[in-house]
Amino acid sequence: MTNAKKKAASKWKKQKRLDPHDPNVLRLIPKRHKGILRLIFSRAGITAALIILQLAMFYSIYDQLRDYYEWFSAAFGVVAILTVFHLFSSDMDSTARLTWLLILMLAPVPGSLFLIFTENDIGHRAVKSRVNVLITETKNTLKQDEKVIADPQITDSATDDLCRYLNRSGCFPIYGSSRIKYFPLGEDKYAALMRELKKAQDFIFLEYFIIEEGYMWGSVLKVLAEKAKQGVDVRVMYDGMCEMSTLTADYPKRLERLGIKCKPFSRIRPFLSTHYNYRDHRKILVIDGKTAFTGGVNLADEYINKKPRYGHWKDTAIMVKGDAAESFTLMFLQMWNLTEPEAKWDGFFDNKTRLDGDGFIMPYCDCPLDSFKVGESVYMDILSRAKSYVHIMTPYLILDDELETALKFAAQRGVDVKLILPGIPDKKAVYALAKSHYKYLVEAGVKIYEYTPGFVHAKVFVCDGEKAVVGTINLDYRSLYHHFECAAYIFRSSCIADIEKDFQSTLARCRRVTPNTIKHEKLYYKLLGRLMRLIAPLL
């Protein structure tokens, strides 16, 4: 055993703490009791207090300026008028534009200052520049197999057009030598994930929006620690919001003692910044560049129904084996290298694993810091080309005008458009906002269903028995405009039948939304939904 491995083993013995209820679960932080005092004196509470203090300071300055009304009223009016002109000349989404107009009408000067603050990339200019550099550097890292993109199945269906569009924003080849397995529940993904982790020999990369200590993450972490002890390169990334809710600020150091490299994305700092709007919502796990997982499932117990929240948790995921897994390797390394002094790519794309192709797959990601609306564009491409049906599962429905029009137009031209949404909400305001879209969609012929056993967290499109998308991208403004996201576009694979079968099975456990149910909806949801529509782009 090398000295490095001996040190890792020693750290492992000192650091490991097994859950007393299960010897296969590793826990690094003690269970914390929730309460108002813990919240107030926590990092989250202190950060929130400092941000509120800054807001109060800005308001105080503004309030003092109001005392000089005669001097500043004309200037304030000019600023408001110029801001309105700016809104109408910008390429901002029309729904967002209306929201900003409402804000300007109610508070012209604070609204103008807030708009300037959000549009000037305060707090994330360096990140935006770094992202663009990394995307440019890796444009040609993964080569497109010309035989695949020239396949008649691809060209006749115009899938090659979609591939070319995606590759204008990054490096997203379409593959024909990979296999895809679909998991209809988080429990299914978890079981496969545990099996595959134990096979790792070279590296394991994890990038998740949420990691929370418990049975799921604890058992995964135990395997990761054992693999790190064996010399496997194990890296973990999670969104910085976890430090405000599920993990401690020193959690990366705790993992490093186990030989695991770790970093949070965009840590929350106690100062105002638009950077906080851009979260890493992706779920990626790559093993040796040969196997990859993505989908809606985070590393927390509710995602495998180990901890009940909002009834039964319905989620989905896929496992990709073969050369397409390298696309997820590249996605992970792009995010990892954001904060590295020198980006490193070598040594991770040597495991060319070509399998007997089962259809085609095109993994892709969506970056909120460029001019491409990749997630929404792929969804709209599916809706516009659909011939028979488009079946959708999504936890949230906060639509802009373009996407709502695409859904209605598909239904109006005879496509069977069905949406499955939660029956039990996780956020009542967002649930009410989703319901505010029901009337207009149903009138156009879109069929909407609510999952009565609980909460749907799946992000799935399946169309005409030949194409599907499984990933992390919700039908809401945050996913489509503000978050880093990822997904896989699947074409003519046998797993598409499994996705449609799962949709029909889930549909059997849903209640249908009808004009009558909409009419008799609770007054609370009706009023709240209309109110939320005014600020939908901000949710």
Side-chain angles (χ1 to χ4, degrees):
M1 183 182 287
T2 65
N3 289 333
K5 289 185 178 180
K6 286 180 180 178
K7 288 181 180 179
S10 175
K11 288 179 181 178
W12 157 254
K13 289 178 182 177
K14 291 178 182 178
Q15 183 70 8
K16 71 175 182 178
R17 295 177 57 188
L18 297 183
D19 190 293
H21 304 294
D22 192 330
N24 295 314
V25 175
L26 182 59
R27 184 180 292 277
L28 300 184
I29 52 179
K31 290 184 177 180
R32 294 173 291 178
H33 297 289
K34 295 182 178 180
I36 187 66
L37 289 178
R38 189 193 72 79
L39 177 63
I40 291 172
F41 293 104
S42 68
R43 186 169 182 269
I46 294 171
T47 301
L50 289 172
I51 290 176
I52 291 170
L53 183 63
Q54 291 172 71
L55 288 170
M57 180 184 69
F58 291 140
Y59 178 78
S60 176
I61 293 171
Y62 169 68
D63 195 49
Q64 290 179 36
L65 291 177
R66 289 176 61 187
D67 294 338
Y68 300 91
Y69 181 81
E70 295 83 1
W71 292 93
F72 290 102
S73 60
F76 287 168
V78 170
V79 168
I81 292 170
L82 290 176
T83 305
V84 170
F85 276 114
H86 167 71
L87 275 177
F88 278 94
S89 62
S90 72
D91 62 351
M92 184 183 295
D93 168 69
S94 59
T95 308
R97 190 181 292 130
L98 288 173
T99 296
W100 278 110
L101 285 173
L102 173 67
I103 293 172
L104 292 170
M105 181 182 72
L106 297 175
V109 177
S112 298
L113 295 175
F114 186 38
L115 179 62
I116 293 169
F117 176 76
T118 57
E119 287 198 330
N120 277 274
D121 295 340
I122 296 173
H124 71 269
R125 283 185 180 180
V127 174
K128 184 174 182 178
S129 175
R130 181 66 171 160
V131 166
N132 290 331
V133 168
L134 293 177
I135 289 174
T136 301
E137 278 185 10
T138 55
K139 270 278 191 176
N140 300 309
T141 299
L142 304 175
K143 302 296 183 182
Q144 174 64 63
D145 186 335
E146 293 301 325
K147 290 182 179 179
V148 173
I149 201 167
D151 188 299
Q153 295 184 79
I154 299 294
T155 56
D156 293 349
S157 63
T159 302
D160 58 329
D161 292 350
L162 182 61
C163 182
R164 290 188 180 92
Y165 162 76
L166 288 175
N167 280 280
R168 293 188 66 185
S169 67
C171 181
F172 307 121
I174 187 166
Y175 299 91
S177 302
S178 297
R179 294 176 188 164
I180 311 133
K181 183 171 179 59
Y182 174 75
F183 303 112
L185 288 172
E187 296 91 310
D188 302 322
K189 176 204 169 175
Y190 168 69
L193 180 152
M194 291 297 290
R195 290 193 298 268
E196 296 298 325
L197 282 175
K198 294 171 183 176
K199 301 175 186 177
Q201 296 179 336
D202 298 317
F203 64 84
I204 302 172
F205 296 159
L206 294 93
E207 179 184 341
Y208 280 83
F209 180 54
I210 294 173
I211 293 178
E212 181 176 10
E213 289 218 327
Y215 176 84
M216 185 183 190
W217 171 237
S219 54
V220 168
L221 181 56
K222 186 170 186 294
V223 177
L224 296 181
E226 290 170 349
K227 285 297 178 180
K229 185 170 64 171
Q230 295 167 12
V232 175
D233 181 0
V234 181
R235 305 186 193 187
V236 173
M237 283 190 73
Y238 52 81
D239 187 77
M241 278 292 184
C242 288
E243 295 183 347
M244 310 293 286
S245 55
T246 60
L247 302 176
T248 57
D250 68 342
Y251 204 72
K253 293 182 179 178
R254 294 174 185 259
L255 290 183
E256 286 165 8
R257 295 189 192 112
L258 300 176
I260 298 170
K261 300 171 187 174
C262 176
K263 61 174 72 175
F265 172 81
S266 183
R267 304 183 94 153
I268 305 301
R269 305 293 188 186
F271 60 84
L272 290 171
S273 171
T274 55
H275 185 44
Y276 300 145
N277 219 20
Y278 302 102
R279 309 315 313 171
D280 183 1
H281 193 244
R282 309 193 312 186
K283 292 92 179 169
I284 295 173
L285 190 151
V286 190
I287 301 167
D288 296 342
K290 301 176 182 179
T291 303
F293 292 82
T294 193
V297 182
N298 282 299
L299 298 176
D301 286 352
E302 61 264 34
Y303 294 87
I304 57 171
N305 287 292
K306 200 76 175 175
K307 180 174 72 176
R309 291 188 71 188
Y310 319 116
H312 181 261
W313 194 285
K314 165 64 179 171
D315 220 325
T316 60
I318 56 169
M319 176 175 67
V320 179
K321 283 183 174 286
D323 50 2
E326 288 196 329
S327 282
F328 291 103
T329 303
L330 179 60
M331 291 180 207
F332 175 88
L333 288 173
Q334 285 173 333
M335 292 295 274
W336 183 268
N337 282 318
L338 269 178
T339 54
E340 292 294 300
E342 183 180 351
K344 296 179 181 178
W345 315 101
D346 297 338
F348 298 106
F349 302 102
D350 301 330
N351 297 316
K352 301 293 183 184
T353 306
R354 299 178 65 86
L355 304 174
D356 292 335
D358 175 23
F360 304 88
I361 180 170
M362 182 165 47
Y364 63 95
C365 61
D366 193 356
C367 171
L369 303 178
D370 60 24
S371 59
F372 295 91
K373 295 191 289 185
V374 170
E376 184 174 44
S377 296
V378 172
Y379 286 158
M380 290 179 66
D381 184 80
I382 291 174
L383 288 165
S384 65
R385 297 183 192 274
K387 298 175 182 177
S388 177
Y389 71 82
V390 179
H391 293 161
I392 303 165
M393 286 189 276
T394 182
Y396 310 117
L397 197 68
I398 307 178
L399 305 174
D400 61 14
D401 290 341
E402 292 177 78
L403 196 47
E404 182 168 325
T405 299
L407 286 163
K408 293 192 292 187
F409 179 61
Q412 287 167 339
R413 62 186 179 84
V415 176
D416 177 31
V417 181
K418 289 189 174 82
L419 281 81
I420 293 179
L421 294 147
I424 300 175
D426 63 334
K427 305 176 184 72
K428 287 192 175 182
V430 175
Y431 186 57
L433 179 52
K435 287 178 176 291
S436 74
H437 291 284
Y438 285 5
K439 178 183 177 182
Y440 310 105
L441 292 173
V442 169
E443 285 177 350
V446 177
K447 303 177 183 72
I448 300 175
Y449 299 82
E450 294 180 334
Y451 182 64
T452 53
F455 185 66
V456 171
H457 192 254
K459 305 96 168 51
V460 170
F461 267 56
V462 58
C463 173
D464 294 345
E466 66 174 20
K467 62 182 74 170
V469 169
V470 179
T472 68
I473 308 171
N474 300 319
L475 292 182
D476 66 3
Y477 275 89
R478 295 223 153 264
S479 269
L480 299 173
Y481 289 88
H482 300 312
H483 287 167
F484 290 88
E485 302 281 2
C486 68
Y489 182 92
I490 306 165
F491 183 67
R492 292 186 178 170
S493 168
S494 60
C495 79
I496 292 173
D498 298 329
I499 298 173
E500 175 61 16
K501 180 181 177 182
D502 177 47
F503 183 90
Q504 295 299 333
S505 175
T506 307
L507 195 68
R509 305 177 71 188
C510 294
R511 58 174 174 259
R512 183 169 177 180
V513 175
T514 66
N516 190 53
T517 63
I518 294 170
K519 180 180 178 181
H520 292 93
E521 184 60 76
K522 292 180 180 178
L523 182 61
Y524 167 79
Y525 282 126
K526 288 182 178 180
L527 295 177
L528 184 59
R530 289 175 182 176
L531 179 63
M532 290 299 102
R533 281 188 79 118
L534 298 174
I535 57 170
L538 304 180
L539 296 178

